[in-house]
Amino acid sequence: RDDSISLIKQAMRELMIDEKRFEPKKVLGTISRLKGDNLTLNDFRETAGKEFYPSIVARVWERYQNLVTKASGFDFDDLLLESVRLLKRESAILHTYRQRFRYLLVDEYQDTNAIQYELATMLAAPANNLSVVGDVDQSIYSWRGADFENLLRFEKDFPGAKVVLLEENYRSTQTILTAANQVIEKNKNRHDKKLFTKNRAGELITLATSLSEIAEADYIATTAKNLIKNGAKPDEIAVLYRANFQSRALEEGMLRHNVPYQVLGTRFFERKEVKDLMAYLKAALNAADYASLVRASGAPARGIGKVTLAKIAAGERASLTGATASKVTELYQALDKIKLAIETKSTSEAVKLALQISGLESKLKKGSEEEVERYENLRELVTLATKYDHLPAPEGIIALLEEVALSSEQDSLNEKKEGVKLMTVHAAKGLEFDYVFITGLEQDLFPHAGFNPSTGRAGEKDRDEEEERRLFYVAITRARHKVYLTYAQTRALYGSRSVTVPSEFIFDIADDLIEATEHHSEDLPNGGKSYLPDVFI
C-alpha cells in the first residue's frame, strides 16, 4: 500500500496536480474501488465524462498504471483484476487452474466485491464445487466496495446449493443473542436466522441515560473502573462509538477517573484536521510561529510553496510579487481576522470563526465521507472550546492551546498497550470482549443521519439504513457476558446543545431484556453540561 501511494504521488507530481488539494490516499482509494468493481480505465472514462474530480482521477490512474507497468509490477487490485482478465483470455490456463483447485472455500463472502465474485465463480465452474461462508447481517463495508448481494443471490447463481444455517453461538449469553435477533430481524435483505446458545441466560442489558455526553463518559469510566476493581481485565472491556468525534469526551472521562485506556485509531488531538485548525489559532496569536504558519498555509492548499515560505521566514515577504504575493496576502488577512476573533469573541465562537475563515469548513463539509468525518471532529473541537467560554478573551484560547499541548504530552507519557479499548464499531468487527459499552445511541448519531456532500446537510437519506442496523448488530454481538447501552439526553454539537431522541435500536429490544438506570453526576464540571449555554435547537 505504501509503494502504491508513493507511485500515486509521483504520478501527481508529473502531472502537476497539487497533492494537498487532491489527497493521494483518497485518489488511490477511488482507483482501488473502481478496480474492485471490475472497471477498466477506459470504462471509467466513458462514465466519468467531463466531471472535474473523475477527470483528475482518470489522468492520475493512467500515469500511475504506466509507472506500475514500468516497474514490472502489480498493485493488490491488479492481482485480482489481471488474473480475471488472464483467465478470460486464456482458456487453457483457466482449465489448468480449474483442475488444480477442484474445491473452493471462500470465507467472509458477504464482503466480496465484483472482481472477487467473478474470480471465484470462474474458477468454480463447471463443477461448481464451491463453499462460501458469510453472514449478511455482518455486512458493514459497502463503502469499501463490498456487495452482500453476492451472498444473497448464491442460491440463484448455483441452483441446488445446500444452505447450512450456523445459528448456534458459542460467545455470548442468550440475553445478548435475543436482543441481537430482535434488532436485526427488521432488516428485509437477509437470510432468516435466529442465534441461540447453550450458554447461560446471563445478565440483563443495562440501558444508561445521562444528561450529557460528559455525564455519559463519566458513567462509562466509573462503571469500567468498578468492573476492573471487581476483577475484570481492562483489555476485556470495550467502548464502541459510531463516529470518531465521540472519542474526545470518552477519553476525557477515562483520564478524569484514572482508568487505563487505549484508543484503536488516532487520538482526538493527534488527528490531522485538529492539528490544522490549531495551527491557525497558534499562527494568529504568534506571528513568529513559523511551523504553525507553514501548516496553516497548506490546509487547505493555497498554492504557497516551500520557496515562498522560506522567503517569509527570512523576512523577505515584501519581495513577493504577482499571484504569489496575492496568495500570501490572503493567508495573512485570514490570520488577522482569526486574531481579531480570538481577542474579541468567546473561545468557542473564535474557534468556530477560525474553522470558517481558514477554509477548512467549506473544503471538508462537502467532501467525501472521510472528509465529512474530519469536519465532524472539528465541530467537536468547537464544542470542547465552550469549556473556556467563561474566560475573557484571549485567555480562553490560550487555555485551550495549553490543554491540547498537555494532552498530547500526557498521551506520549502514558503510552500503554493495556487498558479499556476505545474504538469505532467498524474497527471492532471480528473482535470480542467480556464487557461492551455501545455509546451515543441517539437518532441521527447511531443510526447515523448520513451526510449529503452535494448539499452539505446532514439527515438526508443517503445512507443505507439496513447497514446501520447491521452495524448495531455487529456491536452488540462483540460481547461475551454483558452489554451496556448508553445515550445522552442532550448532546453538544458545534457549540450548541440540543435535545436528542433515543436511538430506534433501543426500542427494538424487549423491555424484559433491559434494566434501565440514570446517571446525572453532580461531581462533573458544570454539572456535566460541558459549559454550554442552555440553548436547545
Side-chain angles (χ1 to χ4, degrees):
R1 186 72 174 183
D2 290 343
D3 290 340
S4 294
I5 290 176
S6 295
L7 289 179
I8 287 286
K9 289 181 177 179
Q10 182 179 338
M12 293 176 71
R13 284 196 299 270
E14 291 178 2
L15 294 169
M16 292 186 289
I17 295 173
D18 188 353
E19 65 182 67
K20 291 181 179 178
R21 187 177 181 188
F22 301 98
E23 189 177 346
K25 184 179 177 182
K26 178 186 174 184
V27 174
L28 178 61
T30 302
I31 295 171
S32 177
R33 173 73 179 267
L34 293 166
K35 288 182 177 181
D37 288 340
N38 203 2
L39 289 174
T40 65
L41 175 57
N42 288 334
D43 293 333
F44 177 60
R45 278 184 172 144
E46 290 178 6
T47 59
K50 295 182 179 180
E51 291 185 43
F52 184 59
Y53 179 69
S55 66
I56 293 292
V57 171
R59 290 174 60 204
V60 175
W61 187 351
E62 181 177 26
R63 184 62 61 92
Y64 165 72
Q65 210 62 49
N66 289 337
L67 292 171
V68 171
T69 302
K70 186 177 180 180
S72 300
F74 283 149
D75 64 15
F76 179 78
D77 302 295
D78 288 334
L79 292 174
L80 294 168
L81 191 60
E82 294 301 330
S83 293
V84 168
R85 289 175 181 171
L86 175 66
L87 295 177
K88 282 182 173 180
R89 189 171 62 245
E90 303 289 344
S91 58
I93 295 176
L94 176 58
H95 177 74
T96 298
Y97 279 100
R98 282 174 172 173
Q99 292 300 309
R100 182 175 178 182
F101 301 115
R102 304 289 294 276
Y103 302 91
L104 298 180
L105 171 63
V106 183
D107 195 13
E108 300 288 1
Y109 198 67
Q110 78 280 353
D111 291 333
T112 54
N113 59 23
I115 196 68
Q116 292 166 335
Y117 167 81
E118 186 168 1
L119 179 61
T121 53
M122 282 179 67
L123 288 173
N128 291 337
N129 291 322
L130 175 63
S131 296
V132 303
V133 181
D135 184 0
V136 169
D137 295 337
Q138 296 192 56
S139 178
I140 59 174
Y141 295 120
S142 63
W143 49 279
R144 290 184 183 174
D147 185 2
F148 67 85
E149 292 287 346
N150 293 341
L151 183 57
L152 284 179
R153 68 168 178 259
F154 188 82
E155 293 165 82
K156 289 184 178 179
D157 291 340
F158 302 97
K162 182 178 181 180
V163 177
V164 179
L165 293 179
L166 303 178
E167 296 175 292
E168 183 172 1
N169 179 286
Y170 301 92
R171 173 190 298 162
S172 306
T173 67
Q174 188 58 55
T175 296
I176 293 170
L177 297 180
T178 301
N181 288 332
Q182 291 172 351
V183 170
I184 202 62
E185 68 185 10
K186 290 200 170 185
N187 275 4
K188 296 179 180 179
N189 296 311
R190 62 186 296 267
H191 290 111
D192 186 33
K193 69 179 190 302
K194 288 189 181 295
L195 299 181
F196 71 92
T197 185
K198 294 176 183 176
N199 296 338
R200 60 194 177 87
E203 297 182 59
L204 294 176
I205 294 171
T206 296
L207 173 62
T209 305
S210 300
L211 175 65
S212 68
E213 73 282 358
I214 306 300
E216 178 189 38
D218 178 75
Y219 169 78
I220 293 167
T222 54
T223 304
K225 192 170 186 176
N226 287 333
L227 288 171
I228 295 168
K229 184 179 178 180
N230 292 326
K233 295 180 179 178
D235 287 350
E236 290 298 340
I237 303 172
V239 180
L240 309 183
Y241 40 86
R242 177 62 182 83
N244 268 311
F245 78 85
Q246 294 171 256
S247 72
R248 198 270 307 169
L250 295 168
E251 287 184 69
E252 282 193 349
M254 295 295 170
L255 289 169
R256 206 161 39 238
H257 293 279
N258 296 314
V259 178
Y261 75 94
Q262 179 191 12
V263 178
L264 273 68
T266 307
R267 290 185 174 91
F268 184 78
F269 291 122
E270 293 302 313
R271 291 178 178 135
K272 177 184 180 300
E273 61 277 8
V274 174
K275 287 186 172 183
D276 289 343
L277 187 54
M278 299 307 291
Y280 275 96
L281 297 173
K282 290 191 283 187
L285 272 176
N286 181 7
D289 189 344
Y290 179 68
S292 293
L293 177 67
V294 170
R295 184 168 194 121
S297 70
R302 299 173 180 272
I304 299 175
K306 294 179 180 179
V307 174
T308 301
L309 290 168
K311 288 184 178 181
I312 294 173
E316 300 174 3
R317 180 185 167 190
S319 67
L320 300 175
T321 59
T324 300
S326 297
K327 292 172 183 176
V328 172
T329 298
E330 288 177 5
L331 173 60
Y332 274 95
Q333 287 175 343
L335 292 175
D336 287 341
K337 291 178 182 177
I338 293 171
K339 183 178 182 181
L340 179 62
I342 290 172
E343 293 174 341
T344 59
K345 303 289 185 181
S346 68
T347 309
S348 61
E349 189 64 26
V351 176
K352 185 186 294 186
L353 287 170
L355 175 56
Q356 295 167 357
I357 294 167
S358 66
L360 287 168
E361 180 176 68
S362 59
K363 179 181 186 297
L364 297 177
K365 71 183 295 184
K366 293 187 178 181
S368 64
E369 184 168 342
E370 181 181 347
E371 288 172 322
V372 170
E373 187 172 284
R374 291 179 180 177
Y375 175 56
E376 288 181 340
N377 290 334
L378 292 179
R379 286 166 62 97
E380 180 65 10
L381 186 63
V382 175
T383 298
L384 170 63
T386 60
K387 183 161 65 171
Y388 300 104
D389 279 349
H390 65 288
L391 295 175
E395 291 180 21
I397 289 292
I398 294 171
L400 174 64
L401 292 172
E402 288 176 352
E403 178 181 348
V404 173
L406 291 172
S407 295
S408 299
E409 184 177 330
Q410 188 173 33
D411 284 344
S412 299
L413 292 172
N414 295 336
E415 187 70 36
K416 296 178 180 178
K417 294 299 181 184
E418 293 185 357
V420 175
K421 306 304 180 188
L422 275 61
M423 70 190 84
T424 63
V425 181
H426 280 101
K429 174 82 184 294
L431 304 178
E432 56 184 77
F433 305 89
D434 288 343
Y435 304 94
V436 172
F437 293 83
I438 307 175
T439 68
L441 281 170
E442 299 137 32
Q443 210 63 17
D444 292 344
L445 181 52
F446 199 2
H448 201 279
F451 205 96
N452 191 322
S454 63
T455 64
R457 291 195 295 269
E460 302 192 8
K461 301 275 186 176
D462 64 312
R463 188 179 293 278
D464 184 345
E465 292 181 8
E466 290 204 353
E467 182 152 325
E468 287 295 302
R469 191 172 294 278
R470 292 194 294 269
L471 199 56
F472 182 76
Y473 175 86
V474 166
I476 201 170
T477 54
R478 297 310 91 199
R480 297 190 191 100
H481 303 323
K482 172 81 174 177
V483 171
Y484 297 85
L485 308 178
T486 71
Y487 75 93
Q489 293 174 316
T490 68
R491 185 170 293 272
L493 292 172
Y494 206 32
S496 296
R497 181 164 296 282
S498 58
V499 175
T500 67
V501 176
S503 169
E504 62 191 78
F505 300 148
I506 295 173
F507 301 104
D508 292 337
I509 301 173
D511 291 344
D512 60 359
L513 298 179
I514 290 178
E515 56 179 5
T517 183
E518 293 188 0
H519 180 77
H520 305 299
S521 175
E522 298 299 326
D523 299 329
L524 290 171
N526 199 34
K529 294 182 182 178
S530 187
Y531 295 99
L532 286 167
D534 292 323
V535 176
F536 300 99
I537 58 173

